[in-house]
């Protein structure tokens, strides 16, 4: 594939549970395809533990325990840690400093009007008491994305309105402080049903928090039980009854996962999904037959993922090492961007102290004066003996201007 230069991909998941089929078709599959096409310069996948705490403040153990689970899910499903930097959000504290600057660029009402946030507030019963952190998660997500100068963000449909907040913050920052960020693009799967895979209950999207998911780590028996209990057409009682496809979860999953070759293998009486649907609609095709077909397809997908998971579970230390190394690499990138942000926003207040020290040193010690920001280093280097306790307070002793003056042999 043609290599498009300067593509930086960033995406992530909340460690609130294992990854499910919605993640697989909504985002994970696209991530693996992008990884295998090599059409990128940098590629980050973030386990958003701090974001997960915004609606799990009383359930810290859940978040903590699922970090490694999500990492194992990634690698089992085909993410290659040699090509992708996988890291834990809280290992990159610069993200929270960037969030603080971005929080001034978006209003509370703007976040409250965001359709995804609105839905999620309702789902979590946060209408009466909304944690500030939860309302703020789109801002922190903007920091996660922009800290890496990422431009391609593979997500499911529910995250598109949240990506809009990132775009708005980037525009607002560029307009106010000068061009730092480029255009960000949320990347949805082409197949519409995959962008928002419904849950087994047929109501909400498949979600860890809604308890309506088939997980990538579910064993064969569990998958079969879940599929057998999936919501279909409540009016399709007898096999001979005509059935409805719309809103029928089993057909929704077939739309997402079924390929023509599956018919040859598991249901050779039909050529393709259209034929199967037509039969179901006119009557004479039972739910059980369709569900068993789906079960075969899902198990074919999950069997190698389960095997890889077993391997990784026996070598968890290796997965922790991957996360630790990923965190270091991610942190180095975020530090560079934080510096750029502070320079653009002219908030590099603390960074001017060494400059002032330099000035003071020249004033007191002449052109050749050397500036120390660590007074112990200066004492060791110069052999100057100072009883610091008598001369000044420890705070002052740490001030580079004072130290510069000391070196010049004067007191301030
Ligand atoms: P939670 O219930 O804790 O919010 P979740 O199941 O919604 O968990 P997230 O970690 O919030 O999962 O989402 C991670 C990524 O997976 C996002 O890009 C999101 O859009 C995508 N995603 C989640 N659920 C689905 C789904 N049912 N269909 C398609 N994509 C999904
Ligand atoms: Mg979610």
């Amino acid at each position: 594939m043609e290599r498009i230069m300067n593509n930086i991909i960033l995406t992530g998941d909340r460690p609130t549970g294992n990854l499910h089929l919605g993640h697989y078709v909504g985002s994970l599959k696209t991530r693996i395809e992008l990884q295998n096409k090599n059409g990128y310069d940098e590629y980050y996948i973030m386990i958003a533990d701090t974001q997960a705490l915004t609606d799990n403040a009383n359930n810290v153990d859940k978040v903590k325990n699922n970090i490694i689970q999500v990492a194992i899910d990634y690698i089992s499903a085909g993410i290659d840690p040699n090509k992708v930097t996988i890291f834990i959000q809280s290992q990159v504290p610069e993200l929270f400093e960037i969030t603080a600057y971005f929080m001034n660029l978006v209003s509370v009402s703007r976040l409250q009007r965001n359709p995804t946030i609105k839905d999620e507030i309702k789902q979590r019963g946060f209408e009466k008491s909304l944690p500030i952190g939860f309302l703020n998660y789109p801002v922190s997500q903007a920091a996660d994305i922009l800290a890496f100068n990422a431009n391609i963000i593979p997500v499911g449909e529910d995250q598109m309105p949240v990506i809009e907040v990132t775009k708005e913050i980037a525009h607002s920052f560029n307009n106010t402080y000068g061009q730092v960020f480029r255009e960000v693009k949320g990347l949805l799967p082409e197949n519409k049903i995959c962008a928002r895979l419904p849950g087994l209950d047929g109501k909400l999207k498949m979600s860890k928090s809604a308890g309506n998911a088939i997980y990538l780590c579910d064993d064969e028996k569990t998958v079969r039980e879940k599929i057998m209990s999936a919501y279909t057409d409540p009016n399709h009682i007898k096999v001979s009854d005509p059935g409805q496809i719309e809103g029928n979860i089993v057909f929704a999953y077939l739309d997402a996962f079924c390929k023509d070759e599956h018919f040859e293998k598991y249901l050779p009486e039909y050529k393709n999904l259209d034929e199967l649907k037509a039969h179901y609609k006119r009557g004479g095709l039972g739910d059980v037959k369709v569900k068993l077909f789906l079960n075969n397809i899902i198990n074919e997908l999950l069997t190698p993922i389960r095997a890889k998971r077993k391997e990784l579970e026996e070598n968890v230390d290796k997965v922790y090492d991957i996360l630790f190394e990923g965190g270091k690499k991610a942190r180095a990138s975020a530090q560079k961007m934080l510096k750029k942000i502070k320079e653009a926003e002219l908030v590099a207040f603390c960074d001017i102290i060494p400059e002032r020290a330099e000035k003071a040193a020249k004033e007191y010690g002449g052109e050749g004066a050397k500036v120390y920001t660590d007074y112990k280093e200066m004492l060791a280097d110069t052999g100057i003996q100072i009883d610091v306790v008598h001369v000044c307070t420890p705070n002052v002793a740490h001030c580079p201007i004072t130290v510069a003056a000391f070196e010049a042999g004067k007191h301030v």
Side-chain angles (χ1 to χ4, degrees):
M1 107 138 205
E2 185 197 344
R3 190 173 168 81
I4 308 153
M5 288 314 287
N6 205 17
N7 272 334
I8 300 178
I9 304 169
L10 181 128
T11 177
D13 306 272
R14 296 151 36 93
T16 46
N18 279 98
L19 299 186
H20 51 64
L21 291 180
H23 295 117
Y24 185 81
V25 287
S27 167
L28 210 42
K29 197 161 161 258
T30 317
R31 298 179 197 182
I32 296 163
E33 282 162 10
L34 286 168
Q35 164 193 288
N36 296 340
K37 280 178 188 162
N38 282 326
Y40 56 89
D41 295 273
E42 289 170 53
Y43 195 154
Y44 300 91
I45 298 187
M46 185 185 80
I47 302 179
D49 58 340
T50 312
Q51 190 193 115
L53 287 174
T54 63
D55 57 341
N56 284 286
N58 297 326
N59 217 343
V60 177
D61 275 352
K62 176 169 102 175
V63 174
K64 198 171 86 187
N65 297 335
N66 276 304
I67 291 175
I68 194 74
Q69 288 301 320
V70 171
I72 292 176
D73 280 332
Y74 288 154
I75 304 170
S76 318
I79 294 294
D80 177 355
N82 294 314
K83 294 184 169 177
V84 176
T85 304
I86 307 173
F87 71 98
I88 306 169
Q89 185 184 24
S90 61
Q91 218 192 321
V92 185
E94 286 72 16
L95 297 176
F96 311 112
E97 196 172 340
I98 297 175
T99 303
Y101 294 125
F102 287 177
M103 281 166 74
N104 305 324
L105 302 174
V106 63
S107 70
V108 170
S109 61
R110 186 90 192 111
L111 294 173
Q112 282 170 328
R113 279 201 306 272
N114 189 291
T116 296
I117 305 303
K118 247 177 152 171
D119 282 355
E120 290 180 342
I121 287 174
K122 220 187 268 164
Q123 260 173 42
R124 285 157 177 78
F126 279 164
E127 291 101 326
K128 286 220 172 85
S129 176
L130 175 61
I132 293 174
F134 188 79
L135 183 65
N136 198 47
Y137 97 68
V139 181
S140 120
Q141 196 159 299
D144 303 334
I145 294 170
L146 299 174
F148 298 95
N149 197 20
N151 61 328
I152 300 176
I153 323 294
V155 284
E157 200 175 69
D158 64 301
Q159 284 302 303
M160 284 310 249
V162 185
I163 302 280
E164 283 307 307
V165 178
T166 298
K167 290 185 187 176
E168 285 170 20
I169 287 176
H171 285 159
S172 169
F173 190 100
N174 288 346
N175 288 337
T176 316
Y177 306 115
Q179 188 75 28
V180 169
F181 302 115
R182 56 185 170 157
E183 213 46 53
V184 166
K185 187 172 171 262
L187 190 64
L188 285 175
E190 276 166 24
N191 184 347
K192 200 167 175 347
I193 192 76
C194 296
R196 191 185 194 92
L197 195 74
L200 287 161
D201 54 1
K203 291 181 194 129
L204 302 166
K205 82 165 181 77
M206 188 178 280
S207 154
K208 295 179 230 119
S209 306
N212 59 3
I214 296 177
Y215 294 98
L216 301 185
C217 62
D218 280 344
D219 60 27
E220 261 188 67
K221 186 167 167 274
T222 310
V223 170
R224 189 188 155 104
E225 278 167 11
K226 285 183 177 176
I227 290 180
M228 291 323 257
S229 70
Y231 181 87
T232 54
D233 171 5
N235 299 317
H236 185 242
I237 297 160
K238 288 185 279 158
V239 171
S240 53
D241 288 341
Q244 198 171 317
I245 304 289
E246 294 75 35
N248 185 320
I249 295 307
V250 176
F251 278 98
Y253 293 170
L254 285 174
D255 277 330
F257 293 96
C258 175
K259 296 183 203 131
D260 288 354
E261 55 260 35
H262 288 133
F263 283 94
E264 233 174 278
K265 229 170 161 177
Y266 303 119
L267 207 56
E269 312 104 271
Y270 303 90
K271 255 211 247 41
N272 54 37
L273 192 52
D274 287 342
E275 273 191 12
L276 190 77
K277 282 182 181 172
H279 193 181
Y280 191 80
K281 278 200 246 181
R282 59 174 190 270
L285 175 58
D287 278 352
V288 172
K289 191 168 181 175
V290 187
K291 284 178 168 176
L292 288 175
F293 176 52
L294 174 68
N295 184 53
N296 281 326
I297 296 171
I298 300 299
N299 268 316
E300 181 180 309
L301 171 76
L302 297 185
T303 301
I305 298 179
R306 285 187 199 113
K308 182 79 186 158
R309 163 171 269 277
K310 201 158 172 281
E311 238 176 70
L312 293 165
E313 278 172 345
E314 281 159 19
N315 202 353
V316 176
D317 282 350
K318 198 176 145 201
V319 183
Y320 277 113
D321 285 348
I322 290 169
L323 294 177
F324 184 69
E325 286 308 312
K328 281 202 289 190
K329 194 171 163 203
R331 187 160 190 208
S333 296
Q335 277 169 340
K336 277 191 208 145
M337 182 54 88
L338 175 60
K339 188 164 180 282
K340 263 196 204 169
I341 290 171
K342 286 170 81 176
E343 279 165 5
E345 203 175 327
L346 300 177
V347 288
F349 303 124
C350 298
D351 305 353
I352 62 174
I353 290 178
E355 267 170 45
R356 292 192 55 204
E358 194 109 29
K359 246 180 158 180
K362 282 183 184 151
E363 196 181 316
Y364 287 102
E367 275 306 307
K370 183 174 173 194
V371 179
Y372 292 92
T373 49
D374 178 346
Y375 86 99
K376 282 191 190 136
E377 192 192 323
M378 180 197 80
L379 298 184
D381 208 8
T382 60
I384 297 175
Q385 299 284 319
I386 301 174
D387 184 349
V388 176
V389 180
H390 287 177
V391 176
C392 52
T393 66
N395 278 347
V396 178
H398 279 102
C399 167
I401 298 170
T402 315
V403 171
F406 280 154
E407 196 196 8
K410 296 184 184 183
H411 289 190
V412 284

